[in-house]
Structure formats: structure tokens, C-alpha cells
Amino acid sequence: MINKKIILGVTGSIAAYKACELIRLLKKHGADVQVIMTKSAKEFISPLTLQGLSGKPVLEDMWEPSKGNGMEHINQSKKSDLILIAPASANFIAKLAQGLADDLLSNVCLARNCPILIAPSMNKNMWENPATKRNISLIIEDGGKFSGPENGEQACGDEGMGRLVNEKILLLDIKKSLSPPLFKNKNILITCGATFEKIDDARAITNLSSGKMGFSLADEAYSMGANVTLIYGRTETLPPGNIKCIYAPNHEMMNKLVKQHAKDNNIFISSAAISDYIPKTISGKLKKHKDKLILELKRSSDIILETASEFKNLFCVGFSAESEKIIENAKIKLKKKKLDMIVANSINESMGKDSAEVHIIFKGKVVHIPKKNKNKLASDILMNIHKLEAKRNNIHEYID
Ligand SMILES: Cc1cc2nc3c(=O)[nH]c(=O)nc-3n(C[C@H](O)[C@H](O)[C@H](O)COP(=O)(O)O)c2cc1C
């Protein structure tokens, strides 16, 4: 989002105050934000507040004669990379659908030559009204995109659809609107988190994986235009709310779900930490009568190896977490499992952490990615997957 010019259109919704936090976030991500408010929006929040946060005077009046050539709607629309309407009132959505242009914001929208992203916020009856549904279909037909709304408690006390989408999902949708759709029409299957294998009714074997890498990959793949399916095990945080997520608590479920979904996907990224050994489960609780307890573990099947050999068209990416000889061991796995790519990292430096340093290994090449935040890392990994997968399929749109 760095240096991207975003017009933030704020309209007359009770959620107008949320524009303050949104401006702060957009600026934090490096965007250059120009706020345009409707007349009604000013009833909910002061332009001065939004001016203070965006660092620029808020535009509101179409008839303001003092500015440039007096054609602010054309000037602004020429300058921007994205128009974001957040919150978007039912009234403003209706105006967009009809192509009305009776104030500065609606004029800028009509004169735009950049994408438009609309985050509605309204009472659930307004949202469910057939007129609103019709307007939304028209805007989508015309190429407009929507983020949200969400279900939940509303300002008027009702419960239902119509709340402004949460900022995490909105940010991803903004990123998606600003990024080239490298994975457009691609289905990507991702696994993440730790498996949890029961020993008895009270105990289990698991590992230190947090799921952060897989969640970041899922978010970034989504913002690059992919249809993402995420199969997740035990994780430290909740899975992303914007994509299809399926919970798989153990090896058996992970195996079943991966094989079930593999045929519908183009790319498989296995970042889950799956148990190599599974205990023989005891029903009830293991009793304490001896000084020593020997647990019998059996070798589990290698999900990515089996998947790569069964689904030949699937582009398979593995992760290799090692404590020593990180690159050498990853190269052995890449070959043995017949993967297209493997991401090698150090257990101590990456497992459960917010950042990591990795080596991406494919076709005899080793690409070093220095330590960085897992979101940025996910983006680098996906860029490498995109290049290699496009080459493998001889796609001419290959981007270097
Ligand atoms: C207290 C109050 C809260 C409102 N909240 C919303 C809302 O959340 N969403 C919405 O679509 N309209 C809401 N409205 C109605 C709009 O403000 C009204 O339709 C207005 O004409 C929208 O103008 P605009 O689209 O030009 O900003 C509310 C009105 C009032 C008085």
C-alpha cells in the first residue's frame, strides 16, 4: 500500500466514526489518503477530525471555487489508485448503482478510472431490502467490489447483517484491490497449525506450531486473487475470517481433508506441523503405577508425499523445519517427496514466532529470504510460487 493514493469516501452511516481508525491504519500501511465526505457524513463526524488524522483538508463541496480548475471530481479521480467508500450508506450505494452525481463524492466515483471498493454499513432491514440487493448486483455487474458487511449487534439494538466489516478483512480487501491478481482463477489449498494426537482421554502429543505462517499465506494468497481453502489444526489465534477454513485436529482428519480437496486445487502449500508418530490411543486415563512409562508410537503416513505422487498436476510446496543442516535436509525432502518447492527454516528461529528467515529451494536454486515478519515472508514465498508455477504451466503472463 506504500504511496498508493486512496480516496476514502465517508457517507452518512452511524459507523462514520470508524473512518478515524481506518485512516490511521491506511496511513500506517503507507497509503496517501484523501478524505471526501458527504453532507450527511458531517452530521456524524467532524471533517476537522478526519483532516487531523489524514493530514489533508477534507473535500466535501463540489462548488468550492477556490481550488485549481474548479473540476475537483475529475482531478481527484485521475489521481487515485483506489476509491474506498467506508462506511457506505444504503443511500450512497443506491446512487452508485444508478450513476447519480449530485455531490462531490458521487461525481468522483462516476468519473473514476480506478477500482472502487465499497464497505456497506446499515441496519439489517435496509441491508435485506430488495432495493439494496438490486443496487448491489448492479454495482457488481459494473465491476465494483464489496467488503462485508458483517453479522452482529447493530447500533439500533437489532442483531443481523449490516455491520461494517472488521478492519482486518477490510485491509485485506483493500490490498487485494490494489495488487495485481497474480493468482486470479487459481485455487490454493493451505494447511497450517499443529496436529493433536490423543494418548488417552486426558493427554495428547502436539507441537509448538502456532499456525501464523499458514494464516499469513492464506491472507496474502487471498489478497493476490486466489480462491483459498485453509485446513488448520491447533493454532494460537483464530483463523482468518475472509476465506474458507476447515478445522482438522489430528493427522487422520488432516490427511482425509487434504486428499478430499487436492483434486479441486492448483497449488498445495503444506505448512502444518503434522505428527510423524501417533500414539496408540488408550481409552480412559493412563494410570500412574510405574517409575517409567513407555509409550508406543506408530509412524504416520506422509501426507504431502502421498498427495504429490497421487495428484500429479498439483503444484506442491512443503515446509521443512530443522534444527541443523537446514538447507541440506530440506533438499533431501524436496527430492524424496517429489515436491515442486520447499521452504526451509530453523525450528528455533521460526516455530511459534512472528517472524522468520527462510530459504526457498526449487529446481536446484536456493533463494534466501532474510528474517522478516511472516506476512511479508508469505508474500515473498507466494511471489516465488507464482513465478515457478507460471513457468511450469508455460503461462506467458509470467511476471519476473
Ligand atoms: C441517527 C442516524 C443513523 C443513520 N445510520 C445509517 C446507517 O448506519 N446506514 C445507512 O445506510 N443510513 C443511515 N442513516 C440514514 C442516512 O444518513 C441517510 O440515508 C442519508 O441521506 C445518507 O446520505 P449520504 O448517502 O449522502 O451520506 C442514518 C440516519 C440517522 C438519522
Side-chain angles (χ1 to χ4, degrees):
M1 248 184 246
I2 295 184
N3 295 330
K4 293 287 182 193
K5 293 194 182 315
I6 299 179
I7 289 180
L8 173 63
V10 183
T11 70
S13 150
I14 196 80
Y17 73 95
K18 293 186 182 169
C20 298
E21 190 55 23
L22 184 55
I23 295 169
R24 210 188 54 80
L25 269 173
L26 292 172
K27 299 229 0 153
K28 195 174 140 200
H29 283 80
D32 174 356
V33 185
Q34 172 64 64
V35 179
I36 304 182
M37 294 176 90
T38 63
K39 197 161 171 265
S40 309
K42 291 194 289 172
E43 299 290 332
F44 294 87
I45 184 158
S46 139
L48 198 60
T49 310
L50 303 189
Q51 173 173 338
L53 291 165
S54 66
K56 282 184 188 175
V58 168
L59 303 174
E60 47 192 278
D61 188 358
M62 199 165 56
W63 305 110
E64 167 69 71
S66 63
K67 293 203 185 82
N69 60 3
M71 298 205 206
E72 203 53 20
H73 63 295
I74 304 285
N75 301 341
Q76 287 302 324
S77 68
K78 271 188 197 155
K79 278 192 239 161
S80 56
D81 295 296
L82 175 71
I83 298 179
L84 168 65
I85 310 292
S89 67
N91 174 66
F92 198 78
I93 288 173
K95 290 203 322 190
L96 280 177
Q98 295 307 317
L100 294 181
D102 61 356
D103 62 4
L104 180 60
L105 185 58
S106 52
N107 270 279
V108 168
C109 291
L110 200 61
R112 76 180 184 274
N113 53 9
C114 67
I116 185 165
L117 180 65
I118 301 144
S121 166
M122 64 194 74
N123 166 268
K124 67 168 187 168
N125 292 341
M126 289 171 104
W127 174 251
E128 276 154 23
N129 192 300
T132 304
K133 297 257 167 291
R134 218 169 27 243
N135 292 332
I136 285 165
S137 303
L138 280 174
I139 295 171
I140 292 172
E141 251 176 61
D142 292 343
K145 296 274 189 285
F146 283 83
S147 183
E150 280 186 358
N151 206 9
E153 199 186 321
Q154 303 207 302
C156 56
D158 281 349
E159 183 89 23
M161 278 301 265
R163 277 172 64 93
L164 187 73
V165 68
N166 73 67
E167 63 189 35
K168 188 170 181 263
I169 295 181
L170 184 53
L171 267 183
L172 281 174
D173 283 331
I174 294 167
K175 225 170 147 191
K176 186 173 175 170
S177 301
L178 290 166
S179 319
L182 296 185
F183 290 108
K184 192 176 172 198
N185 299 327
K186 291 282 176 194
N187 297 341
I188 305 188
L189 178 65
I190 299 172
T191 62
C192 74
T195 50
F196 183 86
E197 307 297 342
K198 276 178 81 175
I199 296 170
D200 63 15
D201 286 351
R203 305 175 179 96
I205 291 182
T206 184
N207 58 63
L208 299 178
S209 171
S210 63
K212 285 176 192 159
M213 190 68 241
F215 287 171
S216 297
L217 283 163
D219 278 347
E220 292 298 317
Y222 170 84
S223 63
M224 292 176 175
N227 302 311
V228 180
T229 304
L230 178 68
I231 301 174
Y232 68 103
R234 278 173 77 88
T235 56
E236 273 179 19
T237 50
L238 287 173
N242 50 323
I243 55 174
K244 187 166 140 195
C245 296
I246 313 168
Y247 180 50
N250 53 29
H251 174 281
E252 189 186 346
M253 282 298 288
M254 196 68 87
N255 188 30
K256 194 172 149 199
L257 286 165
V258 167
K259 308 276 172 63
Q260 198 177 311
H261 285 84
K263 61 179 185 319
D264 303 322
N265 281 273
N266 309 99
I267 298 166
F268 171 40
I269 309 175
S270 173
S271 70
I274 302 169
S275 298
D276 299 321
Y277 289 91
I278 300 176
K280 217 171 122 190
T281 311
I282 292 153
S283 78
K285 191 176 169 215
L286 264 174
K287 293 282 171 279
K288 277 194 274 189
H289 9 231
K290 289 182 198 151
D291 290 347
K292 243 190 204 172
L293 171 71
I294 296 175
L295 276 181
E296 195 186 321
L297 303 175
K298 66 172 191 297
R299 185 82 173 90
S300 63
S301 66
D302 191 326
I303 301 176
I304 193 166
L305 181 146
E306 290 178 2
T307 309
S309 80
E310 191 178 335
F311 301 91
K312 299 270 188 262
N313 292 329
L314 194 63
F315 186 94
C316 289
V317 182
F319 269 72
S320 169
E322 298 285 344
S323 50
E324 54 176 19
K325 295 186 181 162
I326 294 166
I327 298 176
E328 290 90 322
N329 284 326
K331 280 183 176 171
I332 294 168
K333 283 186 195 166
L334 177 78
K335 205 168 164 195
K336 184 178 153 211
K337 302 184 187 208
K338 296 195 173 69
L339 306 179
D340 295 284
M341 182 184 280
I342 197 154
V343 182
N345 58 117
S346 147
I347 290 186
N348 297 333
E349 298 295 319
S350 77
M351 226 168 180
K353 307 266 182 357
D354 288 334
S355 56
E357 171 193 5
V358 303
H359 289 85
I360 303 175
I361 308 169
F362 53 94
K363 290 205 167 150
K365 272 194 191 165
V366 179
V367 178
H368 176 232
I369 313 272
K371 187 171 176 178
K372 56 174 79 171
N373 171 287
K374 284 186 176 169
N375 284 330
K376 294 210 170 87
L377 188 59
S379 167
D380 288 355
I381 293 170
L382 285 160
M383 287 301 287
N384 277 282
I385 294 174
H386 165 71
K387 284 185 200 170
L388 194 61
E389 203 247 357
K391 256 188 187 173
R392 193 180 87 159
N393 297 335
N394 284 326
I395 291 174
H396 300 301
E397 63 177 273
Y398 168 63
I399 295 171
D400 205 358

